[in-house]
């Protein structure tokens, strides 16, 4: 068990070195960059949806214009035929209505044009930002690579130590279990009992469990699955 715990200590050092790479400013920048790309894509999709909506509205507007044109045609024909006083009143009221409709339609189209211009402007802005970010990403990746190269020999050194310790392990099963759990991302695998708490997840253990632990000396935590050892 002593050798396994020694290996666990070495593995922790490797984890810390990897974390150094993960937490270095370039890695953080890279995560932000990826996030920015995702957000950029979503934003583009939103702009596209807005553009489609504008096209739909514009088509509706065009259809209404055609209808107004038809109405005005009917009125023009009425105009040339027999004009009496009643007809003139109707004609004026119809003309005013048509004029109102056209003014309203014109306002809508102007609004659509304004919105389209805004979408074009926003898309161009976004596109520039994304291009700029892509240019920077190369330099960021290089920095991360540099950091990786910096810790790589240290990790290799530790791995060599682990390899040299492995033949000394008496309890092969416990080491298999260790490797299996480490693979699953559970680390550290073997933890101490700290008062009545799990040394891994820090959850308080019930007395029944502790009683069992006293006899068995080693038991998996009911909360995090780590193996709790009674003796150091
Ligand atoms: Zn636990």
């Amino acid at each position: 068990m002593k050798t396994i715990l020694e290996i666990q200590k070495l593995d922790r050092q490797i984890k810390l070195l990897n974390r150094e790479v993960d937490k270095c400013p370039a890695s953080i920048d890279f995560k932000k960059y990826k996030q920015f790309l995702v957000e950029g894509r979503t934003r583009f999709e939103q702009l596209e949806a807005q553009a489609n909506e504008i096209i739909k509205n514009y088509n509706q507007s065009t259809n209404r214009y055609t209808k107004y044109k038809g109405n005005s045609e009917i009125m023009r024909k009425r105009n040339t035929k027999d004009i009496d006083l009643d007809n003139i009143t109707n004609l004026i009221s119809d003309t005013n209505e048509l004029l109102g409709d056209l003014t309203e339609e014109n306002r809508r189209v102007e609004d659509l044009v304004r919105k389209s211009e805004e979408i074009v402007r926003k898309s161009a802005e976004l596109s520039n930002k994304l291009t700029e970010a892509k240019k920077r990403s190369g330099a960021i990746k290089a920095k991360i690579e540099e950091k990786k190269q910096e810790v790589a020999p240290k990790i290799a050194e530790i791995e060599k130590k682990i390899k040299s310790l492995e033949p000394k392990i008496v309890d092969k099963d416990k080491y298999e279990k260790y490797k299996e759990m480490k693979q699953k991302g559970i680390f550290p695998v073997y933890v101490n009992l700290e008062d009545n708490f799990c040394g891994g997840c820090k959850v308080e253990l019930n007395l029944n469990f502790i009683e069992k632990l006293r006899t068995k000396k080693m038991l998996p935590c009911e909360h995090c699955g780590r193996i709790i050892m009674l003796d150091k």
Side-chain angles (χ1 to χ4, degrees), residues 72-86:
S72 95
E73 198 68 17
I74 291 166
M75 273 156 56
R76 200 175 55 78
K77 275 181 189 154
R78 247 199 308 182
N79 202 0
T80 52
K81 281 185 195 165
D82 48 336
I83 299 170
D84 57 31
L85 210 57
D86 279 354

Side-chain angles (χ1 to χ4, degrees), residues 108-121:
R108 278 197 209 113
V109 171
E110 273 172 9
D111 195 42
L112 289 176
V113 169
R114 194 181 50 73
K115 279 183 185 157
S116 314
E117 282 169 357
E118 204 174 297
I119 287 176
V120 169
R121 187 180 56 75

Side-chain angles (χ1 to χ4, degrees), residues 198 201 221 224:
C198 164
C201 66
C221 168
C224 68

Side-chain angles (χ1 to χ4, degrees), residues 26-43:
S27 290
I28 292 164
D29 278 351
F30 194 68
K31 273 177 206 142
K32 280 188 202 156
Y33 163 71
K34 281 206 281 193
Q35 177 71 20
F36 183 64
L37 283 192
V38 172
E39 281 168 7
R41 201 183 308 143
T42 314
R43 189 76 193 105

